[in-house]
């Protein structure tokens, strides 16, 4: 059975802290790993990773994939209260890139 | 680009009635759309894959006669929850791939369904 496991499930930090969110997976026919940020509504896309060892960066957020060890991390530096959200990891598999989601990490950034 | 529009954003209906949710890709064509359901504090669970011009593919445990999916055009898929019951109350989200950026899925804003 395909599995996507995120850790920690929840995290509380102060503004300015750096956080690392983890995602490990076991899926058949892996195609890609995606990170999404979900606030009150639907998820918004952050990154898609397909190759090992290549860091993707967007502002204070960065992510990297290790296809040998089957995990990815999402880093957020200098966190702000607006970063508070659920961060979802999803793995795309098969020819139509069906996504299997992890349960998410609830990040709370306190002022 | 890559905007997915979902309507309505919330709906309240009585038990036994049917509700239709629309999902449109506004600036691209989507041969495949996906319907997800999310219960409070849980992750997104794939319900079905909607294929333009053919029958939807349902995930195990999802009743195809209860959750009717129609993908009549390259920009529109609909999900109809038939004979809704309170346990169908959930957050329903559609998504679509552009095809231009590989496996990236773009999500609609979701529909909060409450069945009373």
């Amino acid at each position: 059975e395909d599995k996507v496991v995120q850790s920690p499930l929840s995290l509380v930090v102060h503004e300015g802290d750096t956080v690392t969110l983890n995602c490990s997976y076991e899926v058949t026919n892996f195609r890609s790993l995606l990170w999404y940020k979900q606030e009150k509504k639907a998820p918004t896309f952050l990154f898609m990773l397909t190759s090992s060892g290549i860091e993707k960066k967007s502002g204070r957020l960065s992510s990297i994939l290790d296809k040998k060890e089957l995990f990815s991390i999402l880093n957020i530096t200098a966190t702000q209260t607006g970063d508070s959200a659920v961060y979802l990891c999803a793995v795309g598999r098969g020819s139509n890139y069906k996504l299997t989601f992890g349960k998410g990490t609830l990040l709370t950034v306190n002022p | 680009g890559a905007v997915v529009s979902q309507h309505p954003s919330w709906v309240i209906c009585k038990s036994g009635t049917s509700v239709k949710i629309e999902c449109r890709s506004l600036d691209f064509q989507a041969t495949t759309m996906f319907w997800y359901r999310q219960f409070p504090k849980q992750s997104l669970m794939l319900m079905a894959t909607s294929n333009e011009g053919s029958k939807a593919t349902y995930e195990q445990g999802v009743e195809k006669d209860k959750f009717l999916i129609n993908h009549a055009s390259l920009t529109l898929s609909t999900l109809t929850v038939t004979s809704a019951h309170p346990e169908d109350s959930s957050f329903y989200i559609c998504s679509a791939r552009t095809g231009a950026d590989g496996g990236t899925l773009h999500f609609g804003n979701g529909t909060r369904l409450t069945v009373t």
Side-chain angles (χ1 to χ4, degrees), chain B residues 94-105:
Chain B
C94 73
S95 65
R97 284 196 300 128
T98 66
D101 51 6
T104 303
L105 275 191

Side-chain angles (χ1 to χ4, degrees), chain B residues 63-85:
Chain B
E63 298 174 58
K64 61 181 181 183
D65 294 329
K66 180 167 186 62
F67 298 101
L68 300 179
I69 290 172
N70 185 288
H71 195 150
S73 77
L74 286 170
T75 58
L76 173 64
S77 175
T78 60
L79 168 68
T80 302
V81 183
T82 62
S83 187
H85 290 283

Side-chain angles (χ1 to χ4, degrees), chain A residues 84-103:
Chain A
S84 297
V86 173
Y87 289 84
L88 294 167
C89 170
V91 175
R93 52 193 172 84
S95 58
N96 65 358
Y97 291 85
K98 270 183 6 177
L99 291 189
T100 299
F101 280 84
K103 290 188 175 180

Side-chain angles (χ1 to χ4, degrees), chain B residues 87-106:
Chain B
E87 56 265 32
D88 298 324
S89 299
S90 187
F91 191 53
Y92 293 87
I93 312 175
C94 73
S95 65
R97 284 196 300 128
T98 66
D101 51 6
T104 303
L105 275 191
H106 299 275

Side-chain angles (χ1 to χ4, degrees), chain A residues 36 38 42 97-99 101-102, chain B residues 34 36 38 43 59 103 105 108:
Chain A
Y36 288 88
Q38 185 175 26
Y97 291 85
K98 270 183 6 177
L99 291 189
F101 280 84
Chain B
F34 300 91
Y36 288 85
Q38 187 176 34
S43 192
E59 295 299 300
L105 275 191

Side-chain angles (χ1 to χ4, degrees), chain B residues 1-2 10 12 15 18 23 29-30 43 48 50 52 59 73 75 82 100-102 105 110-111 114-116:
Chain B
W10 59 271
I12 301 173
S15 197
S18 295
C23 180
Q29 293 183 330
S43 192
S50 172
E52 187 267 336
E59 295 299 300
S73 77
T75 58
T82 62
D101 51 6
L105 275 191
T111 297
T114 302
V115 184
T116 60

